[in-house]
């Protein structure tokens, strides 16, 4: 950043100095104004008497006065000029020209041109040229900066889910190379953090499995009671969460080898629902699941996706859950809808992000880790399909798994 400051500072200083001297040479020296002054100076050599001086003051709107020779100190170069030309022209700090000639009585004649006698055209065009050229030079300096900032912005917006970003190709001399490097470092750190988080999730889920299995085994040996049933349910929920975490972290690491086969949709769904606890299945109705509807996909993963949606519906539905299938022009749709609270419009894309739970208090008692829908989204991606959510006619959410047309 210091480099940008220094280069811009130097650029402005050099531009100002360069422009001023260039325009001075082109516009102020050898201009018609200078020629006027020269010819006036030449004619002043013929002023002899005080009456001539008074006339100059009256008629030519010049400020002429006689000054003693001792009041004018000339530099050696001016002395030479004086002897050669008979006059000298010197400029005051505000650029007002003073012409000096020598009178026969040894005094000097000083003639000052009044400000309003000087042509304003040159000054006006001088200013216009100065500011136009300065604006052009500044644009020339800032344009590569703007171009590089655009590249950095594009890269920053291209952050992938794994934390990687598009590479930024800045020229080695670019002032923004340091920011590009910082962005690369940041991306690297995000990738490391995500990797650590995935490894941790995977390790924790792995470590949970053995004690969970032991607990389940011990629980099964306990005599039947309400307490035992409740504990068994909690254990099953814990088991499901651990499985979800494990599957999610695996799906983040790599795309699995799909074992694709033809799946009869109705049979698969019926078997899936039959495997759920009895008290839940009463809510679920299977509608429009046509015997002929089949799917070419990996059965294990399609079941996983459907089960995640049904489990969510079981958590949020009041009374009714409906599972149906539909064939459209773009492919086969598996739909799970319920009569629960539904999903607000602004949350519909976010709920598919990993670990996203819109309302902590509402979902905590539902026991979710926020991974169910992220896993469903992954599974759909592997199959070239999509998942989305809308409103159900039942009053709640309508989740749709779409699989591309399969001929
Ligand atoms: P969780 O493990 O928290 O259920 P999910 O990824 O399965 O995570 O779901 C994310 C969030 O989406 C849930 O916390 C919940 O707020 C919302 N959600 C999912 N399914 C439904 C549904 N059928 N009705 C209402 N909200 C739902």
């Amino acid at each position: 950043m210091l480099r940008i400051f220094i280069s811009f500072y130097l650029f402005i200083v050099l531009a100002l100095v360069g422009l001023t001297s260039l325009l001075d040479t082109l516009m102020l020296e050898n201009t018609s104004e200078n020629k006027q002054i020269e010819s006036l100076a030449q004619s002043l050599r013929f002023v002899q008497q005080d009456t001539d001086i008074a006339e100059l003051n009256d008629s030519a709107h010049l400020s002429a006065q006689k000054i003693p020779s001792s009041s004018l100190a000339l530099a050696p170069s001016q002395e030479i000029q004086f002897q050669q030309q008979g006059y000298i022209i010197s400029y005051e700090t505000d650029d007002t020209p003073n012409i000096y000639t020598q009178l026969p009585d040894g005094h000097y004649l000083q003639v000052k041109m009044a400000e309003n006698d000087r042509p304003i055209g040159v000054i006006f065009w001088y200013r216009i040229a100065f500011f136009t050229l300065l604006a052009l030079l500044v644009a020339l300096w800032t344009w590569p900066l703007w171009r590089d900032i655009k590249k950095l912005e594009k890269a920053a917006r291209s952050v992938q889910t794994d934390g990687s970003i598009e590479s930024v190709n800045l020229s080695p001399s670019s002032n923004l190379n340091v920011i590009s490097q910082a962005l690369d470092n940041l991306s690297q750190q995000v990738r490391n953090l995500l990797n650590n988080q995935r490894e941790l999730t995977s390790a924790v889920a792995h470590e949970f499995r053995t004690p969970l299995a032991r607990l389940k085994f011990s629980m099964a040996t306990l005599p039947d009671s309400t307490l035992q049933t409740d504990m068994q349910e909690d254990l099953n929920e814990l088991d499901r969460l651990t499985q979800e975490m494990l599957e999610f972290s695996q799906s983040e690491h790599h795309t699995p080898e799909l074992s694709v086969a033809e799946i009869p949709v109705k049979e698969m769904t019926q078997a899936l629902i039959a495997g759920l606890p009895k008290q839940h299945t009463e809510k679920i109705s299977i509608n429009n699941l046509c015997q002929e509807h089949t799917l070419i996909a990996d059965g294990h993963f399609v079941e996983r996706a459907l089960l995640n949606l049904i489990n969510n519906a079981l958590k949020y539905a009041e009374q009714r859950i409906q599972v149906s299938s539909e064939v459209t022009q773009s492919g086969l749709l598996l739909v799970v809808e319920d009569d629960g609270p539904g999903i607000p419009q602004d949350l519909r894309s976010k709920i598919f992000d990993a670990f996203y739970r819109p309302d902590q208090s509402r979902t905590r008692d539902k026991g979710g880790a926020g991974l169910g829908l992220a896993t469903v989204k992954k599974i759909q991606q592997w199959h070239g399909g999509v998942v989305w959510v809308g409103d159900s006619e039942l009053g709640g959410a309508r989740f749709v798994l779409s699989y591309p047309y399969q001929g």
Side-chain angles (χ1 to χ4, degrees):
M1 283 296 104
L2 182 69
R3 199 178 141 185
I4 295 184
F5 167 74
I6 291 176
S7 75
F8 188 63
Y9 181 78
L10 283 179
F11 168 81
I12 288 290
V13 170
L14 291 178
L16 288 176
V17 172
L19 270 181
T20 324
S21 55
L22 177 79
L23 291 177
D24 278 359
T25 316
L26 291 179
M27 297 183 78
L28 294 184
E29 288 169 18
N30 301 321
T31 58
S32 58
E33 183 199 11
N34 280 8
K35 284 183 191 133
Q36 273 177 27
I37 297 167
E38 292 277 344
S39 64
L40 175 68
Q42 279 168 13
S43 60
L44 287 177
R45 282 182 304 172
F46 303 108
V47 173
Q48 304 280 324
Q49 301 163 8
D50 288 356
T51 47
D52 297 338
I53 297 172
E55 206 171 305
L56 270 177
N57 278 326
D58 290 346
S59 58
H61 305 291
L62 296 170
S63 160
Q65 62 173 326
K66 204 170 159 180
I67 55 170
S69 54
S70 56
S71 64
L72 185 67
L74 294 178
S77 61
Q78 286 178 316
E79 292 271 17
I80 297 168
Q81 213 185 346
F82 208 96
Q83 275 159 22
Q84 283 172 354
Q85 302 179 151
Y87 65 86
I88 54 159
I89 303 168
S90 77
Y91 288 87
E92 291 182 11
T93 44
D94 64 350
D95 274 351
T96 309
N98 281 335
I99 306 167
Y100 296 95
T101 59
Q102 195 151 31
L103 294 168
D105 62 3
H107 280 78
Y108 285 116
L109 170 68
Q110 181 195 41
V111 175
K112 213 182 248 197
M113 270 179 106
E115 183 64 34
N116 52 9
D117 284 343
R118 300 179 60 200
I120 58 157
V122 176
I123 302 295
F124 173 77
W125 287 114
Y126 182 97
R127 283 181 187 153
I128 296 276
F130 179 82
F131 287 116
T132 312
L133 287 175
L134 186 66
L136 265 173
L137 285 177
V138 170
L140 226 65
W141 190 88
T142 46
W143 184 77
L145 196 69
W146 171 82
R147 186 197 52 197
D148 290 350
I149 288 175
K150 287 293 279 179
K151 283 186 188 168
L152 286 174
E153 184 200 357
K154 192 164 164 245
R157 285 182 190 278
S158 73
V159 184
Q160 303 292 305
T161 44
D162 65 349
S164 59
I165 54 164
E166 261 179 25
S167 68
V168 195
N169 293 321
L170 301 184
S171 84
S173 59
S174 170
N175 284 323
L176 296 182
N177 267 326
V178 54
I179 298 183
S180 163
Q181 276 159 15
L183 204 63
D184 274 344
N185 287 346
L186 191 69
S187 157
Q188 186 59 47
Q189 279 180 19
V190 171
R191 267 181 290 174
N192 290 345
L193 278 173
L194 285 174
N195 267 341
N196 291 348
Q197 180 239 322
R198 274 177 214 135
E199 273 163 26
L200 184 75
T201 313
S202 168
V204 168
H206 259 298
E207 295 306 316
F208 265 44
R209 282 187 354 158
T210 318
L212 263 179
R214 274 205 301 267
L215 256 177
K216 266 178 148 181
F217 179 73
S218 316
M219 197 73 76
T221 60
L222 290 178
D224 283 351
S225 68
T226 355
L227 181 67
Q228 195 260 5
T229 319
D230 288 350
M231 284 168 75
Q232 190 70 50
E233 264 185 30
D234 286 344
L235 210 54
N236 287 344
E237 182 63 20
L238 208 56
D239 196 25
R240 196 180 62 75
L241 277 177
T242 314
Q243 185 64 26
E244 229 172 54
M245 278 168 79
L246 204 57
E247 278 184 9
F248 181 77
S249 71
Q250 279 165 358
S251 74
E252 283 287 278
H253 281 303
H254 67 282
T255 305
E257 196 66 41
L258 297 181
S259 62
V260 175
E262 190 168 342
I263 309 163
V265 170
K266 189 169 183 177
E267 263 174 46
M268 174 198 69
T269 314
Q270 278 173 336
L272 202 68
I273 293 170
L276 295 170
K278 265 269 166 317
Q279 69 268 32
H280 293 333
T281 48
E282 290 155 8
K283 282 186 185 175
I284 307 173
S285 71
I286 300 180
N287 272 27
N288 299 330
L289 272 181
C290 188
Q291 196 73 49
E292 289 87 56
H293 287 175
T294 57
L295 196 58
I296 314 275
D298 185 312
H300 164 74
F301 287 118
V302 175
E303 278 181 22
R304 184 84 230 160
L306 199 57
L307 193 64
N308 281 3
L309 295 186
I310 293 175
N311 272 328
N312 276 349
L314 282 168
K315 286 186 212 162
Y316 296 99
E318 294 289 336
Q319 312 253 324
R320 292 176 62 201
I321 297 168
Q322 197 170 284
V323 185
S324 56
S325 68
E326 207 180 298
V327 172
T328 65
Q329 271 192 335
S330 55
L332 187 115
L333 310 183
L334 285 179
V335 184
V336 179
E337 44 197 322
D338 61 64
D339 60 353
I343 316 265
Q345 194 81 36
D346 56 325
L347 299 181
R348 288 185 183 172
S349 58
K350 293 185 190 150
I351 53 168
F352 294 99
D353 292 342
F355 302 105
Y356 183 81
R357 288 179 304 169
D359 180 340
Q360 299 288 321
S361 58
R362 180 163 74 101
T363 52
R364 192 155 285 163
D365 63 306
K366 308 281 185 194
L371 289 175
L373 292 177
T375 309
V376 173
K377 188 174 161 189
K378 269 264 156 3
I379 291 174
Q380 291 309 98
Q381 281 168 357
W382 295 336
H383 286 88
V386 279
V387 54
W388 72 87
V389 63
D391 292 319
S392 163
E393 281 179 6
L394 300 181
R398 180 177 187 267
F399 282 90
V400 183
L401 298 175
S402 153
Y403 296 88
Y405 182 63
Q406 323 215 333

